[in-house]
Structures are given as C-alpha cells and as structure tokens.
C-alpha cells in the first residue's frame, strides 16, 4: 500500500494518507492575537483545507485531539467546534490542557476516512 504525504516540510507534513485513512498533523492558528474561539475557528478552517487536499471532509472524521493552553477556556473552544463539526457524523474527541508554544491557545489533530 502506498503512503502519500500532503505538504511535506522540513520537520513534518500536513497529513499522511495510508489506505483509506488520513492522519493530519497538529494544526495551530496563524493569528496568535485571536482569542480561543477565534484561534479554534482558524484551525478548523485549516483542517478543512487539508482534508479537501486529501480527498475527504469533516463528515468523515474518525477522531480528534484538541490541545488547549488553558483548559478553563474549553467552552470557548467548544463554541467554534460545535459551529464547525458535522453533528450527524461526530468523531470521537479528546480535549486536554497542554503546554503549547507561546501565543498558541489551541492545537488540533484529526484522523479521517477517505
């Protein structure tokens, strides 16, 4: 089975495709001035782009892991998440507090089917 990599860079790629699975790297917002909800929305838009490049979309999400610099802001993250996610095809999801790079409030990684 072939392995395909989307947007390979020096240290990683945006996604790896293997069989009918798409493994996305952790995505962060480009605009660190945004609040938790804004950064989450920006990250989710980036995920949409990568999933499209892989030939799939958010309705095929299998799982998501959300890392938050401040877990007390989970409700704000959830507002953006619930506005974005396909509620008819909810993935499993884990949301945890984590030490992230300065200015980064949220990092999200997903696995999707094609």
């Amino acid at each position: 089975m072939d392995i395909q990599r989307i947007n390979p860079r020096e240290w990683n790629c945006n996604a790896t495709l293997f069989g009918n699975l798409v493994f996305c790297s952790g995505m962060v917002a480009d605009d660190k001035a945004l609040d938790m909800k804004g950064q989450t929305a920006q990250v989710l838009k980036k995920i949409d782009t990568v999933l499209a490049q892989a030939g799939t979309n958010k309705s095929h999400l299998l799982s998501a892991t959300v890392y938050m610099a401040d877990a007390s802001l989970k409700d704000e993250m959830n507002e953006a998440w619930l506005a974005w996610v396909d509620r008819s095809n909810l993935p499993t999801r884990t949301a945890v507090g984590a030490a992230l790079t300065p200015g980064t409030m949220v990092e999200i990684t997903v696995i999707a089917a094609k």
Side-chain angles (χ1 to χ4, degrees):
M1 213 176 273
D2 288 334
I3 297 172
Q4 179 184 355
R5 300 185 197 300
I6 295 178
N7 301 327
R9 298 175 294 209
E10 181 180 349
W11 65 93
N12 73 351
C13 61
N14 285 137
T16 301
L17 285 65
F18 181 73
N20 289 330
L21 296 175
V22 179
F23 300 88
C24 292
S25 288
M27 308 262 173
V28 299
D30 295 321
D31 186 351
K32 306 299 187 213
L34 295 171
D35 62 8
M36 175 64 89
K37 184 176 178 181
Q39 283 197 24
T40 302
Q42 192 173 81
V43 169
L44 296 172
K45 187 173 181 175
K46 289 172 79 171
I47 290 171
D48 277 335
T49 299
V50 172
L51 291 175
Q53 290 174 319
T56 191
N57 61 61
K58 64 187 172 190
S59 69
H60 292 101
L61 287 181
L62 301 173
S63 70
T65 304
V66 180
Y67 303 96
M68 299 169 290
D70 182 351
S72 73
L73 300 175
K74 185 176 180 181
D75 289 342
E76 292 179 35
M77 180 277 296
N78 274 331
E79 286 182 43
W81 174 266
L82 290 172
W84 174 80
V85 73
D86 179 349
R87 291 196 190 197
S88 297
N89 295 290
L90 292 170
T92 61
R93 190 188 86 176
T94 301
V96 297
L100 300 175
T101 57
T104 298
M105 299 189 79
V106 63
E107 182 170 345
I108 302 174
T109 184
V110 300
I111 299 171
K114 283 186 69 172

